[in-house]
Amino acid sequence: MTGKLARLWATKTKDDEWWSSFVTAPLAIFVNYGAVDRPWITPNRITAASFLVAVVASMGILIGGTAWFIAAAVLIHVSHVLDCMDGQMARYRQVSSLLGSYYDRLTDQVQVTLWFGAAGYAAYAQSLSVVPVFLALIGIAFYGLRSYVKYVGIQIQTARDPSYPTNMARLSQTSPKAGLGFGLRANVVWFLKEQPKALAADEGVFIFMLSAALVFDQLTPMLWIFAGSQVFWGIYRAVNRGMTIAADRPLPIRK
């Protein structure tokens, strides 16, 4: 049992997002303990299930009401646990694929749009104000900008140096600092050091923030935080990436 659990723990992403790091990813490991040996459960099917659950959660937000909001909050967490499971299972079975990674990331982007688009509509239905809709659109747009900036930056850097993606992947590799076999002190230190990640306002933060807003029926305040954080990080990443590119030798880029 310990050997299997240790091998599963080794599949956990070493630099996970905030809420994923110490909640949904560990939950996914324990669910995977009973799933990885069942051949009919595949990583791609888990990805599809995660997206389907995310769609149902979005519908719950659109329907509205306390019961549906709480159900949607639970389903959002279920979707994210499944989202963690697919990659863990692929790494455990050593069947990771580029296509699987592509669809996993694609569905991640779409479900954020569905969740916050639905939240914007639900807040509008409650207040009859278009402000929540505007906040949701701004947040979604600048969240997408974060990914687009990264894509454009990699494309430009790779045009200059074809080995750039390989070098960056090597630099981003980290060794585990906590988990099974590391002891209580190491895990407590790791847990405390993980908390500043909440300020990154990434998908792991969305899971917690949106779920809490649904449970306590505070959608509009949450959308202000969502929009503000994404505008800040979108602009910051864009400027930072631009400065990094400007520091290199200028390259003619074909349109």
Side-chain angles (χ1 to χ4, degrees):
M1 177 176 179
T2 304
K4 179 180 177 181
L5 194 57
R7 293 197 305 275
L8 275 168
W9 193 269
T11 67
K12 182 180 181 295
T13 304
K14 302 302 183 293
D15 192 27
D16 253 330
E17 299 167 343
W18 175 66
W19 193 244
S20 310
S21 186
F22 59 91
V23 178
T24 51
L27 282 174
I29 288 170
F30 288 108
V31 177
N32 256 329
Y33 187 86
V36 289
D37 295 325
R38 301 177 186 274
W40 60 274
I41 303 177
T42 66
N44 287 345
R45 287 176 179 174
I46 293 177
T47 300
S50 172
F51 183 68
L52 179 61
V53 172
V55 171
V56 175
S58 301
M59 293 173 63
I61 298 172
L62 290 173
I63 294 170
T66 301
W68 276 106
F69 278 176
I70 293 175
V74 173
L75 289 174
I76 286 169
H77 272 82
V78 171
S79 173
H80 203 242
V81 169
L82 291 169
D83 188 33
C84 295
M85 282 179 64
D86 55 9
Q88 293 171 1
M89 180 178 286
R91 289 186 286 273
Y92 181 88
R93 294 180 178 177
Q94 297 183 340
V95 293
S96 298
S97 69
L98 294 177
L99 184 62
S101 178
Y102 169 76
Y103 280 116
D104 182 37
R105 298 181 187 190
L106 186 66
T107 54
D108 285 350
Q109 191 77 20
V110 173
Q111 67 193 28
V112 168
T113 302
L114 293 176
W115 287 338
F116 284 94
Y121 170 79
Y124 163 76
Q126 290 177 335
S127 64
L128 297 181
S129 168
V130 298
V131 171
V133 177
F134 177 75
L135 293 173
L137 290 174
I138 290 296
I140 292 167
F142 276 84
Y143 176 70
L145 177 65
R146 291 169 62 168
S147 299
Y148 184 70
V149 162
K150 181 178 179 180
Y151 161 75
V152 171
I154 291 174
Q155 187 182 48
I156 291 173
Q157 296 282 17
T158 303
R160 182 181 66 85
D161 178 10
S163 64
Y164 175 78
T166 303
N167 293 337
M168 289 299 100
R170 188 181 301 114
L171 289 174
S172 65
Q173 291 177 352
T174 58
S175 301
K177 298 179 177 62
L180 300 177
F182 279 85
L184 179 61
R185 184 177 183 277
N187 281 284
V188 169
V189 170
W190 165 81
F191 177 82
L192 294 175
K193 287 183 176 179
E194 287 295 285
Q195 302 317 304
K197 285 184 176 181
L199 299 176
D202 51 31
E203 188 183 358
V205 177
F206 299 161
I207 301 304
F208 174 82
M209 187 170 65
L210 179 56
S211 299
L214 289 166
V215 170
F216 295 105
D217 199 1
Q218 295 293 321
L219 292 176
T220 299
M222 179 274 298
L223 288 168
W224 275 105
I225 297 171
F226 172 62
S229 64
Q230 296 316 301
V231 168
F232 171 79
W233 283 113
I235 293 174
Y236 175 81
R237 298 277 175 86
V239 172
N240 187 58
R241 183 72 67 169
M243 292 174 65
T244 301
I245 292 171
D248 292 327
R249 180 168 52 86
L251 276 178
I253 305 295
R254 295 183 179 180
K255 293 185 179 179

